[in-house]
């Protein structure tokens, strides 16, 4: 009986070992860095309920993890400098930097930290995470187109790109400035559409 048990144990160990050897290893997530020269963060918000005011934040940095194949491996950590806001009007930009809006002296960063990535159709995925604006952190979901196929630049570096959108209510983040028009409409809209166009470079 002892001999039979020993033989069975050896056989089982051999099967398990072979299964481990035969199972393909999961691809390791690679580190990627945001290329600030080829990335942008923009927004649009209604003014007096009749037109969209558009702006951008030229100063942003970020890092990501991605194995190059599986959406679920994607992780993103991005930071935006709100003092870099540019709407094409210097006077308005100074107002937006002040206490009525972003209050950049008190809150010098906006951040997004992802928590989950999941497929959402052909060439799209949803990236859920925490967005911090004006010192307030709220969960948001970005709808992302991409990532693109990997390409090599002339210097031999590997790059991918993606575009993302989401809409937030600015009042959820404590930005409540704005009056009311005679017809009851808002001088400044509550909903802000955010658009991100990013390019990432694989790190060695």
């Amino acid at each position: 009986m002892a001999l039979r048990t020993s033989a069975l144990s050896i056989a089982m160990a051999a099967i398990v070992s072979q299964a481990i050897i035969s199972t393909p290893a999961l691809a390791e997530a690679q580190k990627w860095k945001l290329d600030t020269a080829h990335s942008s963060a923009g927004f649009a918000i209604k003014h007096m309920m009749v037109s969209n005011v558009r702006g951008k934040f030229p100063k942003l940095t970020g890092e990501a993890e991605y194995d190059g194949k599986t959406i679920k491996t994607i992780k993103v950590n991005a930071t935006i400098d709100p003092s870099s806001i540019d709407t094409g009007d210097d006077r308005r930009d100074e107002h937006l930097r002040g206490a009525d809006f972003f209050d950049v002296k008190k809150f010098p960063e906006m951040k997004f930290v992802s928590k989950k990535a999941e497929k959402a159709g052909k060439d799209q995925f949803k990236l859920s995470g925490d967005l911090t604006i004006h010192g307030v952190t709220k969960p948001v979901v970005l709808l992302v187109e991409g990532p693109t196929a990997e390409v090599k630049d002339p210097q031999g570096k590997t790059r991918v790109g993606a575009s993302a959108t989401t809409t937030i209510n600015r009042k959820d983040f404590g930005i409540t400035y704005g009056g009311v028009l005679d017809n009851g409409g808002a001088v400044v809209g509550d909903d802000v559409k955010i658009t991100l166009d990013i390019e990432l470079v694989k790190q060695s």
Side-chain angles (χ1 to χ4, degrees):
M1 177 64 72
L3 183 61
R4 184 179 300 172
T5 301
S6 178
L8 181 60
S9 299
I10 293 172
M12 290 297 295
I15 292 171
V16 171
S17 298
Q18 185 61 39
I20 294 173
I21 294 172
S22 302
T23 302
L26 293 175
E28 183 178 353
Q30 299 289 324
K31 301 288 187 180
W32 301 75
K33 188 174 182 179
L34 187 143
D35 181 351
T36 57
H38 298 98
S39 301
S40 63
F43 66 90
I45 186 170
K46 282 287 186 184
H47 176 246
M48 299 183 73
M49 310 304 291
V50 296
S51 65
N52 283 312
V53 172
R54 301 183 185 276
K56 60 184 178 180
F57 298 96
K59 293 184 179 180
L60 65 160
T61 58
E63 298 176 345
E65 292 184 14
Y66 176 46
D67 69 1
K69 297 178 181 179
T70 308
I71 294 298
K72 289 183 178 180
T73 66
I74 294 176
K75 297 179 181 178
V76 176
N77 189 326
T79 301
I80 294 173
D81 178 357
S83 69
S84 69
I85 192 168
D86 179 5
T87 66
D89 185 291
D90 291 342
R91 184 176 177 181
R92 177 170 57 209
D93 292 344
E94 280 303 311
H95 188 196
L96 292 171
R97 293 185 187 105
D100 286 338
F101 288 94
F102 291 105
D103 200 358
V104 299
K105 290 183 179 179
K106 188 174 181 180
F107 307 107
E109 289 185 342
M110 298 188 293
K111 293 182 69 71
F112 174 77
V113 180
S114 71
K115 289 187 171 182
K116 181 182 180 182
E118 55 187 336
K119 194 74 174 175
K122 184 178 180 181
D123 299 326
Q124 290 186 330
F125 69 95
K126 290 181 180 180
L127 188 63
S128 304
D130 289 334
L131 177 64
T132 301
I133 299 176
H134 198 249
V136 178
T137 301
K138 295 285 184 179
V140 298
V141 179
L142 302 176
L143 180 61
V144 186
E145 292 186 7
T148 64
E150 295 182 5
V151 297
K152 292 279 189 180
D153 67 17
Q155 288 73 44
K157 296 180 180 179
T158 302
R159 295 173 178 265
V160 296
S163 297
T165 59
T166 192
T167 299
I168 63 170
N169 186 313
R170 64 185 178 90
K171 290 182 178 178
D172 290 342
F173 293 86
I175 301 176
T176 58
Y177 176 87
V180 179
L181 300 171
D182 291 342
N183 63 3
V187 174
V188 181
D190 292 341
D191 291 338
V192 184
K193 183 176 181 180
I194 298 171
T195 303
L196 302 169
D197 291 294
I198 62 172
E199 189 168 311
L200 297 165
V201 182
K202 185 184 288 187
Q203 302 301 288
S204 301

